[in-house]
Amino acid sequence: MMAPAQQRGVTLIEVLIAMVLMAFGLIGIAALQTTALSSNVISGQYTQASLLAQNLAERMRGNRIGVLNNNSLQAAGAVGNPAVNCATASCTPAQQAQWDLAVWYASAAPGVSLANVPAGPSANLAGAIVSVTCAVTCDANTARIITVYWDGDNNGASGTGCNASSATDLRCLRLPYLP
């Protein structure tokens, strides 16, 4: 028995349509996988920044007098080489604050080399810098804002804004600290 003339080739067309639909589905899965990997990298960067901000907050918590005297304030990207190695010598609260910021930079910013500060483990945040500012005026009841900036896209951005969609700004994480 022979198939009716109108039925010839229908199965082949159905197979081709199914293959096209499957190809679109696989392309969608590949795009989803790429987005997931990118989000995973960004999440890892924010985790590193959070750990760095918490590390600096703990250092500040250990030196409350230095914080209240505003010795822990720092403009974004300003790095000072401490005069005293507080790991081996007694320090004033002001010297301790300078030491803590320098130690933070030695571990947060790859490539920063300071004479008196031992190199620590790197945080793998490209272009990491920190600022510590006051929310309003600096007094005992005002929160200090620890901001960790980094080049999340690793494109050489060097701004100190927090607009991640801007090509010149950096990604940032802000952590309020109340002394």
Side-chain angles (χ1 to χ4, degrees):
M1 182 163 180
M2 192 172 229
Q6 68 266 22
Q7 292 294 318
R8 275 191 229 150
V10 173
T11 305
L12 183 59
I13 291 173
E14 289 173 350
V15 168
L16 288 174
I17 291 172
M19 287 177 63
V20 167
L21 290 175
M22 187 178 343
F24 279 119
L26 290 174
I27 289 170
I29 289 172
L32 185 62
Q33 181 68 19
T34 302
T35 302
L37 288 172
S38 174
S39 296
N40 192 26
V41 167
I42 293 169
S43 173
Q45 291 173 347
Y46 276 99
T47 299
Q48 286 287 325
S50 175
L51 291 172
L52 287 168
Q54 289 173 351
N55 176 282
L56 187 55
E58 290 301 321
R59 289 177 179 279
M60 291 168 65
R61 191 176 327 280
N63 186 11
R64 189 166 194 270
I65 294 170
V67 172
L68 291 176
N69 289 335
N70 297 324
N71 300 124
S72 293
L73 297 180
Q74 179 166 329
V79 142
N81 201 5
V84 180
N85 181 338
C86 294
T88 59
S90 294
C91 290
T92 66
Q95 292 169 329
Q96 185 67 47
Q98 186 181 25
W99 172 258
D100 288 340
L101 288 167
V103 167
W104 185 91
Y105 262 105
S107 65
V112 170
S113 178
L114 301 171
N116 296 325
V117 181
S122 176
N124 279 339
L125 287 178
I129 57 175
V130 69
S131 71
V132 181
T133 58
C134 290
V136 186
T137 58
C138 292
D139 61 28
N141 299 318
T142 303
R144 275 49 172 187
I145 308 299
I146 300 169
T147 306
V148 179
Y149 303 89
W150 72 96
D151 184 5
D153 297 326
N154 211 8
N155 63 0
S158 60
T160 54
C162 292
N163 183 359
S165 63
S166 169
T168 58
D169 281 346
L170 300 170
R171 285 207 171 99
C172 67
L173 177 128
R174 290 191 170 106
L175 177 71
Y177 167 77
L178 190 60

